[in-house]
């Protein structure tokens, strides 16, 4: 409501008041939109581990396809090419796994370099876990920031360069850890990043996916 | 007396503009230098690159959640550098987390102020901050550099 009415104000009165007024309206619209996004993202963050459906047999190929469908516009606009190998079936909350794929691929598109994004999604079994990888040819991350990118609100770039509120990767981390996995990034600045996360081949026992067992 | 120099570090241009406007209304003139991220703040303070001619600030007004170099790191950098440690740093942020208040004072912040959400309080806080630190408080004489 705040966003829509400030946008209406902008549409009706831009150029009719004075330069200061235009600037104030711009800040108000921008702030309202950012606040809206922030509230939605924080809700998504807080839902992880509280409302997840119990883990079920989930075909990652289908989850990936759904993620790509949601990112259709960004993929078309950026000319991104996304390749993937055959992905496994895992025990997971499919809607949360969708968030992980969508966030990682969305970031790979967003933090692209001058070339159109080429993104490779793959998974391989290593011991008792699946290691998933999302590799891109984007701007990359300096080694000293490799851990802090997963911290909530942490942003490595200015809002003018890459808009965002620094919640996406913290959601991914929370989801992966709820599933008994780990997430990390390997990167070389300027040459691209590879985000990897693991999921146990054998899922962790019931109650370990975030729903606290009320009796214990 | 020279016009006091303020370095404001904030990634939200709306907050920088509002603060500058409030300060422009005050009787005492202040000069606001603004940078949008933590790495720029350090370059400004150490006069690196395009900041070679930057003034030495009398007060740093620092947000905590900043892109590139986090505000907490900027604060600890300033307080660990003998050439900068004496500059008062006011943490000016929307964070209400007690851990941020405690953490900031532990890192050597001179004051922690929460950004008020409404205009009248915002104006009052910015004016009192500038008056207190730049008109009333005795600060070390700046060394010539």
């Amino acid at each position: 409501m705040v966003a829509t009415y400030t946008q209406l104000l902008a549409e009706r009165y831009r150029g009719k008041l004075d330069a200061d007024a235009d600037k104030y309206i711009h800040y108000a619209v921008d702030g309202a939109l950012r606040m809206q996004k922030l509230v939605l993202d924080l809700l998504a963050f807080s839902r992880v581990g509280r409302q997840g459906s119990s883990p079920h047999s989930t075909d990652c190929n289908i989850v990936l396809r759904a993620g790509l469908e949601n990112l259709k516009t960004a993929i078309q606009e950026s000319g991104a090419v996304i390749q993937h190998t055959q992905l496994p079936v895992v025990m997971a909350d499919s809607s949360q796994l969708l968030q992980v794929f969508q966030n990682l691929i969305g970031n790979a598109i967003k933090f692209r370099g001058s070339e159109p994004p080429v993104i490779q999604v793959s998974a391989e079994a290593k011991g008792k876990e699946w290691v998933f990888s999302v590799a891109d040819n984007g701007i990359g991350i300096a080694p000293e920031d490799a851990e802090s990118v997963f911290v909530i609100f942490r942003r490595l770039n200015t809002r003018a360069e890459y808009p965002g509120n620094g919640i996406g990767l913290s959601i991914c981390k929370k989801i992966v850890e709820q599933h008994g996995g780990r997430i990390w990034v390997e990167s070389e600045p300027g040459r691209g990043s590879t985000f990897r996360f693991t999921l146990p081949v054998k899922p962790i026992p019931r109650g370990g996916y975030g729903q606290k067992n009320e009796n214990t | 007396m020279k016009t006091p120099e303020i370095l404001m570090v904030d990634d939200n241009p709306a907050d920088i503009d509002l603060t500058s406007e409030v300060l422009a209304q005050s009787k005492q003139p202040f000069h606001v230098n603004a940078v949008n991220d933590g790495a720029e703040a350090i370059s400004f303070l150490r006069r690196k690159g395009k900041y070679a001619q930057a003034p030495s600030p009398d007060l740093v007004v620092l947000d905590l959640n900043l892109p590139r170099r986090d505000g907490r790191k900027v604060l600890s950098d300033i307080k660990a550098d003998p050439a900068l440690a004496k500059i008062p740093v006011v943490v000016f942020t929307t964070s209400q987390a007690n851990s941020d208040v405690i953490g900031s004072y532990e890192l050597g912040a001179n004051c922690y102020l929460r950004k008020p959400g409404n205009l009248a309080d915002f104006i009052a806080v910015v004016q009192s901050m500038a008056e207190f630190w730049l008109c009333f408080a005795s600060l070390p004489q700046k060394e010539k550099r």
Side-chain angles (χ1 to χ4, degrees), chain A residues 6-18:
Chain A
T6 45
Q7 282 169 323
L8 186 62
L9 197 62
E11 208 158 284
R12 292 268 173 86
Y13 295 99
R14 187 181 292 125
K16 292 188 182 160
L17 302 165
D18 61 14

Side-chain angles (χ1 to χ4, degrees), chain B residues 64-87:
Chain B
L64 285 184
N65 291 317
L66 291 171
R68 297 178 69 203
R69 196 159 186 77
D70 190 60
R72 299 157 188 86
K73 281 195 182 147
V74 173
L75 177 57
S76 64
D77 287 348
I78 292 174
K79 293 304 175 186
D81 181 340
L84 304 175
K86 290 193 277 290
I87 303 172

Side-chain angles (χ1 to χ4, degrees), chain B residues 64-65 72 91 93 95-105 112:
Chain B
L64 285 184
N65 291 317
R72 299 157 188 86
V91 172
T93 172
S95 169
Q96 303 196 26
N98 195 37
S99 56
D100 278 335
V101 180
I102 294 170
S104 297
Y105 283 111
Y112 187 102

Side-chain angles (χ1 to χ4, degrees), chain A residues 87-151:
Chain A
L87 301 178
V89 173
V90 295
M91 288 297 279
D93 176 328
S94 58
S95 72
Q96 293 191 348
L97 199 56
L98 172 67
Q99 288 183 62
V100 175
F101 277 120
Q102 202 174 310
N103 258 306
L104 294 181
I105 296 168
N107 277 350
I109 296 173
K110 178 170 158 185
F111 297 100
R112 61 180 177 267
S114 44
E115 300 288 305
V118 178
I119 301 161
Q120 280 152 329
V121 183
S122 58
E124 62 176 316
K126 270 191 184 162
K128 287 178 183 165
E129 52 189 20
W130 286 105
V131 181
F132 291 81
S133 304
V134 177
D136 66 45
N137 58 341
I139 59 172
I141 293 168
E144 63 267 29
D145 295 318
E147 276 175 37
S148 67
V149 285
F150 297 101
V151 175

Side-chain angles (χ1 to χ4, degrees), chain A residues 32-92:
Chain A
L33 290 174
R34 268 193 290 115
M35 203 186 326
Q36 218 167 35
K37 180 88 170 69
L38 182 65
V39 169
L40 291 175
D41 288 352
L42 281 173
L43 285 172
F45 182 79
S46 80
R47 265 197 303 270
V48 178
R50 283 197 302 113
Q51 253 180 32
S53 61
S54 50
H56 42 268
S57 177
T58 298
D59 183 342
C60 294
N61 299 289
I62 294 174
V63 175
L64 176 66
R65 212 175 302 145
L68 296 180
E69 180 63 28
N70 293 343
L71 292 166
K72 204 164 62 182
T73 317
I75 293 171
Q76 280 168 357
E77 283 173 1
S78 62
V81 175
I82 293 145
Q83 302 155 339
H84 71 97
T85 60
Q86 185 68 22
L87 301 178
V89 173
V90 295
M91 288 297 279

